[in-house]
């Protein structure tokens, strides 16, 4: 069986050069010609948190955008408008399969159409520069090539459904600390070879209809004003013809942003475009012709997604329906990385299982921040294994709870939101399934307007599953009154932190406010009232706060002892460990890579009690696993999305092979060569140049816990030969194990002798292909090495330079497990 390797090949993206493209351009020009200066400037500013205004005079409907990237949240940021939740982007990259990424994109287009969304705010293609990056889970890889291939396939998938994308965050938004102000100092070579490279590959391979410019500054200029990188590089050199949307509240200056190539300032209505832009044109600080350029691009996007009358959309036939739950499950099991499997501990032998860990019951399925979506159902590991194994085979114990703080009022709560005006009259209600209110812009309950809204009350009941002292609290800023079982425990104002992130109401930390002794199974009334007040300078109208809760915190030693006892009595112990939303989210970075709480102690104790201990890690980015040599197997399950527990059962029972390979090196923080995320005097120097990820680990001669590309399956592979013709590499592999399997054949390119100067990484990923074969069968992987793999960016001449000479082609199972080599001279 042959499989052709990767390359960002384009399959969507109507361009302005085709006949259809020419017709669309004509409609766009006509529409533009009929707009006055005020309407033009209005079109470039959000009318609310998620959309642009309709302009009925030219047949333009409102264009709606939504996050992204694991699902389509829609214009509501609450659990009462559910979405399919796919595995984290790190997981998507771990499948090393552009075909799968394309299907994920196509599903998201289907979700977007269902929710009336025209542009998906995704994919995130920043790089894993430091493992401490808070949104690491939301990006693909430390490798620009893998990121570009997966990103291009994803964009092609979304756009094949007629929905736009904004590839984000352009560029060098690789960490969260001081994200609005940090000046990332990046050398030109590193910019070109690493950080810009995925964007360049996606523009070439998928012709995205949008990009999103980042909050941060690069080399002294904030990205929403970066004339050089946006106008000269992205548009000029690469030919990007889509829309440039600001990250939310990233645009700061009307004239500089427009001249810097920013088309749309989001969100609205308070932005530096709209009215401010109209004034700048009237005052002569900008010309209408300059505004026209941006309007033209927005109209082109509107035409592509089908909201501009008279223009044929890029996709006219609705694509075939996709089963979202089935794809979420398939993607999850294809992403799971089997890091260790001593004595074939997995798949599980029939027998009893002690399932341990808080995350086995309350599944950790996605990362936090703007990437959050609310699925209609979640299959936890406990649900998945209980359904897959014979009745009575699974015994559950919490063992250790990593949640060091209060979580959304979800489990056991039945809540609704009641809106009142200043006189206390009820003016509207809405369900509030998890105690989290995030109403943005015009998305208020029916009958409610920002002018009439005074108080929002979350009211309902809570039925505890455990007896003991329960903690209740608030998240967000403003005035709160918290009442539990008739007693008011808190009645005060939470002020925003000085110099805090402007989105603190969304991402800030929860505050404990009440400790109440409750009895399992006995419901109590709960009420949290919040006085609605827009913070000063808020860019858009939003009501954002939450009721949060924590179950009785039991003695950790006792919990571990219970788990040990369960493990001792079972044939196998499966421990599910995880990070929490406080660890991996938006708006802040991580401080360390440790698993929160007592989870490390738990694993060690369980492993000591049962040699057949399997650890499942639910984390979107690297965590340290100091016990990894003490357990039989380690399965990295990422944030696996809503069907994670079902996929876990598929893989543990052996119904399917875990298909993932690490898209990023996993090692300890002490060993990691590049970690810094905290700016000094406002600047973060990317001192390491082109050496991040495996490039840096190899340069420093350090051995990580698990190398880039690593991942085991349930069969074995022999690498038989590698042939090179021109720049095409053919690798023959044989399934030498006992069951059918899938192999990710990775091809690294190592410059030899003079080709290794100027200083270059010892080797880099230059291609890969996924092959399948039955036991004893062979398969051929065909990989085309892209020309760029031979090039370096010449900083003196400011151009790509092809480095002639000899290179070793190294094919294998990871960067550290290279099985076969060949030489190529160019
Ligand atoms: C994030 C973007 C996101 C936007 C809208 C920003 O805070 O950085 O990734 O698309 O919010 O939610």
């Amino acid at each position: 069986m042959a499989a052709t390797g990767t390359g960002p090949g384009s399959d969507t993206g109507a361009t302005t050069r085709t006949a259809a493209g020419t017709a669309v351009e004509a409609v766009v020009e006509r529409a533009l010609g009929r707009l006055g200066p005020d309407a033009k400037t209005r079109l470039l500013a959000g009318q609310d948190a998620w959309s642009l205004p309709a302009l009925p005079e030219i047949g333009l409907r409102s264009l709606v955008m939504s996050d992204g990237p694991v699902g389509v949240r829609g214009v509501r940021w609450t659990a009462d408008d559910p979405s399919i939740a796919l595995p984290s982007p790190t997981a998507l990259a771990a499948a090393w399969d552009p075909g799968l990424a394309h299907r994920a994109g196509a599903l998201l287009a289907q979700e977007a159409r269902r929710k009336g969304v025209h542009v998906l705010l995704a994919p995130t293609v920043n790089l894993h520069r430091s493992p401490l990056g808070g949104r690491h889970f939301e990006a693909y890889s430390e490798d620009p090539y893998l990121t570009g291939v997966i990103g291009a396939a994803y964009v092609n998938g979304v756009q094949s459904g007629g929905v736009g994308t904004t590839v984000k965050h352009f560029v060098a938004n690789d960490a969260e600390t001081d994200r609005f102000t940090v000046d990332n100092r990046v050398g030109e070579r590193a910019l070109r070879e690493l950080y810009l490279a995925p964007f360049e590959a996606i523009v070439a391979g998928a012709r995205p209809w949008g990009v999103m410019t980042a909050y941060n500054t690069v080399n002294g200029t904030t990205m929403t004003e970066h004339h050089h990188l946006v106008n000269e590089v992205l548009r000029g050199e690469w030919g990007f013809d889509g829309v440039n949307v600001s990250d939310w509240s990233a645009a700061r200056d009307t004239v500089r942003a427009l001249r810097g190539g920013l088309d749309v300032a989001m969100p609205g209505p308070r932005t530096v475009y709209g009215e401010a832009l109209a004034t700048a044109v009237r005052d002569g600080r900008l010309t209408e012709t300059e505004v026209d350029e941006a309007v033209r691009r927005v109209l082109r996007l509107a035409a592509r997604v089908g909201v501009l009358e008279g223009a044929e959309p890029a996709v006219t036939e609705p694509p075939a329906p996709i089963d979202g739950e089935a794809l979420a499950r398939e993607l999850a099991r294809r992403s799971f990385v089997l890091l260790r499997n001593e004595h074939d501990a997995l798949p599980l032998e029939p027998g009893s299982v002690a399932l341990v860990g808080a995350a086995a019951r309350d599944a950790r399925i996605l990362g936090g921040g703007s990437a959050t979506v609310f699925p209609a159902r979640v299959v936890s590991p406990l649900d998945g294994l209980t359904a897959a194994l014979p009745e009575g085979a699974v015994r559950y114990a919490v063992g250790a709870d990593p949640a060091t703080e209060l979580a959304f009022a979800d489990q056991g709560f039945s809540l609704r939101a009641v809106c009142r005006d200043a006189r206390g009259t009820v003016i509207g209600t809405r369900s509030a399934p998890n105690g989290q209110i995030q109403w943005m812009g015009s998305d208020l309950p029916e009958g409610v307007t920002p002018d009439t809204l005074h108080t929002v009350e979350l009211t309902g009941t809570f039925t505890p599953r455990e007896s003991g002292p329960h903690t209740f609290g608030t998240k967000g800023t403003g005035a709160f009154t918290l009442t539990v079982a008739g007693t008011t425990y808190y009645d005060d104002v939470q002020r925003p932190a000085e110099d805090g992130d402007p989105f603190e109401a969304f991402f800030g930390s929860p505050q404990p406010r009440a400790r109440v002794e409750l009895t399992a199974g006995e419901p109590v009334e709960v009420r949290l009232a919040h006085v609605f007040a827009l913070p000063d300078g808020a860019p858009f109208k939003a009501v954002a706060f939450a009721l949060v809760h924590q179950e009785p915190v039991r003695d950790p030693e006792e919990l571990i002892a219970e788990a040990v006892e369960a493990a001792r009595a079972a044939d196998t112990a499966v421990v599910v460990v995880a990070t929490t939303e406080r660890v991996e989210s938006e708006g802040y970075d991580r401080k360390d890579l440790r698993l929160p709480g007592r989870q490390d102690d738990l694993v060690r104790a369980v492993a000591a009690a049962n040699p057949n201990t399997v650890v499942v890690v639910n984390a979107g980015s690297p965590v340290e696993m100091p016990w990894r040599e003490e357990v039989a197997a380690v399965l990295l399950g990422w944030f696996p999305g809503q069907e994670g527990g079902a996929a876990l059962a598929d893989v543990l029972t052996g119904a399917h092979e875990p298909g993932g390979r690490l898209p990023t090196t996993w090692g300890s923080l002490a060993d990691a060569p590049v970690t810094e995320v905290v700016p000094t005097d406002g600047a973060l120097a990317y001192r390491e140049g082109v050496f991040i990820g495996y490039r840096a680990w190899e340069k420093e001669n350090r051995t990580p816990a698990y190398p880039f590309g690593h991942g085991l399956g349930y069969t074995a592979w022999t690498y038989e030969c590698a042939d090179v013709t021109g720049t095409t590499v053919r690798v023959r592999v044989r399934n030498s194990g006992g069951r059918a399997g899938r192999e990710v054949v990775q091809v690294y390119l190592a410059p030899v002798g003079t080709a290794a100067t100027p200083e270059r990484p010892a080797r880099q990923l230059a291609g890969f292909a996924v092959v399948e074969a039955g036991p004893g069968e062979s398969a051929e992987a065909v990989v085309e090495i892209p020309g760029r793999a031979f090039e370096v960016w010449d900083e003196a001449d400011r151009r790509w330079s092809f480095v002639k000479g000899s290179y070793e082609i190294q094919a294998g199972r990871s960067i550290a497990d290279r099985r076969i080599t060949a030489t190529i001279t160019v």
Side-chain angles (χ1 to χ4, degrees):
M1 183 184 286
T4 307
T6 51
S10 172
D11 62 6
T12 59
T15 78
T16 51
R17 287 186 292 271
T18 62
T22 312
V24 166
E25 290 302 302
V27 178
V28 165
E29 289 307 317
R30 256 200 319 279
L32 178 66
R34 283 161 53 205
L35 287 178
D38 284 356
K40 287 177 185 170
T41 52
R42 252 188 333 119
L43 181 59
L44 302 183
Q47 64 176 351
D48 54 29
W50 305 115
S51 67
L52 300 184
L55 299 176
E57 63 270 34
I58 54 164
L60 177 70
R61 288 187 286 126
S62 172
L63 190 142
V64 179
M65 312 176 207
S66 166
D67 294 302
V70 298
V72 184
R73 197 173 53 242
V75 296
R76 285 202 181 168
W77 196 320
T78 53
D80 56 4
D81 182 19
S83 319
I84 293 283
L86 296 177
S88 58
T90 34
L92 187 65
W96 290 61
D97 188 339
L100 210 50
H102 189 287
R103 287 168 59 207
L107 169 69
L108 296 175
Q110 174 178 300
E111 284 282 278
R113 292 171 89 113
R114 178 174 71 81
K115 292 194 166 209
V117 168
H118 308 111
V119 174
L120 185 63
L121 304 172
T124 303
V125 300
N126 299 115
L127 295 184
H128 295 160
R129 173 176 174 268
S130 162
L132 294 174
R135 291 176 86 173
H136 189 109
F137 70 89
E138 206 188 310
Y140 293 128
S141 168
E142 66 191 14
D143 182 75
Y145 175 77
L146 181 58
T147 302
V149 170
I150 299 301
Y154 176 100
V155 168
N156 275 324
V158 176
Q159 295 188 172
S160 72
V163 172
T165 53
T166 62
V167 187
K168 68 190 188 182
H169 309 84
F170 190 73
V171 63
N173 183 179
D174 310 298
E176 292 292 282
T177 308
D178 298 341
R179 63 180 174 155
F180 282 82
T181 52
V182 62
D183 181 9
N184 291 325
R185 304 249 161 206
V186 198
E188 205 170 325
R189 182 172 169 208
L191 257 181
R192 293 286 186 157
E193 294 183 22
L194 298 177
Y195 304 100
L196 288 171
F199 290 95
E200 184 182 10
I202 295 168
V203 169
R207 301 197 62 81
W209 302 344
V211 299
M212 181 189 288
T213 31
Y215 290 125
N216 54 275
T217 289
V218 171
N219 299 331
T221 306
T222 194
M223 278 312 304
T224 45
E225 301 171 5
H226 217 299
H227 172 76
H228 168 59
L229 290 176
V230 172
N231 290 330
E232 295 179 354
V233 176
L234 172 68
R235 292 205 173 106
E237 286 180 33
W238 305 344
F240 170 70
D241 70 353
V243 166
N244 170 11
V245 180
S246 73
D247 198 347
W248 265 225
S249 303
R252 302 144 218 241
D253 181 273
T254 307
V255 174
R256 289 202 308 263
L258 196 76
R259 296 237 158 101
L262 183 74
D263 300 320
V264 172
M266 289 299 291
R270 276 197 219 173
T271 82
V272 298
Y273 282 1
E275 191 43 50
L277 184 54
T279 308
V281 174
R282 271 196 297 277
D283 295 353
R285 283 176 288 135
L286 286 166
T287 65
E288 198 172 332
T289 316
E290 288 174 292
V291 173
D292 282 355
E293 276 301 303
V295 175
R296 194 172 274 123
R297 288 191 279 261
V298 174
L299 291 174
R300 187 181 296 140
L301 172 65
R304 286 171 162 164
V305 301
V307 296
L308 179 61
E309 231 172 74
E312 185 167 310
V315 176
T316 46
E317 289 296 312
I322 302 168
D323 180 340
E325 287 178 3
L327 182 57
R329 180 168 175 169
E330 179 186 347
L331 225 155
R333 61 182 179 241
R334 290 284 309 277
S335 76
F336 292 169
V337 183
L338 185 55
L339 294 172
R340 172 183 170 88
N341 195 18
E342 291 301 287
H343 315 299
D344 292 336
L346 290 178
L348 296 177
E349 296 290 339
S352 58
V353 172
L355 182 61
V356 173
R361 184 176 62 176
D362 298 322
R364 184 86 178 106
I365 63 151
L366 43 69
S370 64
T372 306
V373 295
F374 303 90
R377 71 167 206 170
V378 169
V379 184
S380 69
L382 179 57
D383 299 334
L385 276 178
T386 308
L389 297 180
E391 212 180 319
V394 179
R395 179 170 160 205
Y396 174 72
V398 174
D401 190 348
T404 47
E405 61 183 28
L406 294 83
F408 292 122
D410 199 344
Q411 210 287 320
F413 285 85
S414 167
L415 295 169
R416 67 192 184 114
V418 178
C419 302
R420 295 179 191 274
D421 64 14
R423 291 194 312 275
T425 310
V426 174
I427 51 174
T429 60
R430 190 182 269 180
S431 68
N434 68 344
Q436 187 185 16
I437 300 291
Q438 297 198 113
W439 299 333
M440 322 272 279
S442 49
D443 173 39
L444 289 170
E446 219 178 295
V448 180
T449 65
D451 302 331
T452 53
L453 181 62
H454 182 267
T455 310
V456 182
E457 272 172 31
L458 277 168
T459 97
T461 56
F462 170 59
T463 311
R465 64 182 170 189
E466 282 178 39
S467 298
H470 286 250
T471 312
F472 297 81
T474 61
K475 184 171 151 106
T477 55
F480 292 104
T481 309
L482 174 65
T483 310
V484 182
T487 306
T488 297
Y489 288 88
Y490 181 78
D491 188 7
D492 210 338
V493 177
Q494 170 72 40
R495 308 211 172 275
E498 267 175 41
D499 304 329
D501 192 292
F503 295 113
E504 190 188 347
F506 297 94
F507 310 139
S509 48
Q511 302 296 329
R513 307 291 189 193
R515 237 166 102 87
V516 189
E517 198 68 41
L518 299 175
T519 311
E522 287 184 14
V524 287
E525 305 235 313
V526 183
R527 177 177 171 274
L528 176 66
H530 172 65
V531 177
F532 170 63
L534 273 183
D536 290 344
F540 58 93
K541 300 180 188 106
V543 188
F545 73 99
L547 173 67
V548 288
H549 166 257
Q550 191 176 31
E551 291 196 320
V553 180
R554 291 197 33 217
D555 174 23
E557 293 302 334
E558 208 176 284
L559 287 178
I560 291 178
E562 268 174 27
V564 164
E565 194 225 312
R568 196 169 283 132
D571 295 317
T572 307
V574 175
V575 188
V576 181
V577 294
T579 58
T580 64
E581 173 149 350
R582 180 70 12 208
V583 176
E584 292 187 73
S585 187
E586 180 173 332
Y588 46 85
D589 289 311
R590 297 162 79 192
K591 303 265 178 299
D592 57 53
L593 304 184
R594 286 197 292 273
L595 283 167
R598 297 284 304 274
Q599 296 181 98
D600 286 336
D601 297 335
L602 171 68
V603 173
R604 285 206 151 110
V606 169
N610 189 330
N612 212 15
T613 292
V614 174
V615 182
V616 177
V617 181
N618 284 135
S621 24
V623 292
E624 287 165 359
M625 297 171 283
W627 33 257
R628 65 184 192 278
E629 310 274 313
E630 298 162 35
V631 301
V634 182
L635 180 70
L636 168 54
W638 307 107
F639 292 142
Q642 66 174 66
E643 303 297 316
L648 181 66
D650 289 343
V651 163
L652 292 185
T653 58
H656 290 269
E657 194 184 36
R661 306 289 186 267
L662 284 180
T664 281
T665 312
W666 274 47
S668 70
L669 186 61
D671 290 339
V674 181
T675 57
E676 195 60 82
V677 287
V678 179
T680 310
D681 298 330
L684 185 64
Y686 284 34
R687 278 192 203 89
E688 67 286 347
V690 295
F691 294 94
I692 65 166
Y694 63 77
R695 292 161 165 82
W697 284 88
E698 292 212 318
K699 180 170 187 252
E700 306 281 327
N701 224 344
R702 298 186 196 173
T703 307
Y706 297 106
F708 178 83
H710 173 70
L712 308 168
Y714 287 158
T715 188
W717 295 89
T718 315
Y719 279 61
E720 294 187 338
C721 58
D723 297 317
V724 183
T725 320
T727 49
T728 306
V729 182
R730 288 170 195 282
V731 184
R732 181 147 290 279
V733 295
R734 188 172 298 279
N735 180 344
S736 47
R739 60 176 275 170
R742 182 183 284 115
E743 173 73 336
V744 179
V745 177
Q746 303 163 35
V747 172
Y748 295 89
L749 189 72
V752 181
T754 54
T757 45
E759 192 184 14
R760 297 173 77 178
R763 76 203 91 249
Q764 66 192 46
L765 181 71
F768 59 91
V770 183
V771 297
E772 288 176 23
E777 284 174 15
S778 72
E780 186 176 64
V782 184
V783 173
E784 185 60 37
I785 310 282
R788 182 54 55 78
F790 301 101
E791 293 180 334
V792 295
W793 181 260
D794 183 330
E795 290 198 330
D797 286 352
R798 306 194 79 181
R799 61 175 182 81
W800 289 103
S801 151
F802 191 90
V803 186
K804 289 192 178 139
S806 283
Y807 292 79
E808 200 169 79
I809 303 279
Q810 304 167 339
R813 314 205 67 214
S814 79
I815 195 157
D817 187 1
R818 306 182 298 272
R819 296 289 180 91
I820 201 159
T821 62
T823 301
I824 182 169
T825 304
V826 290

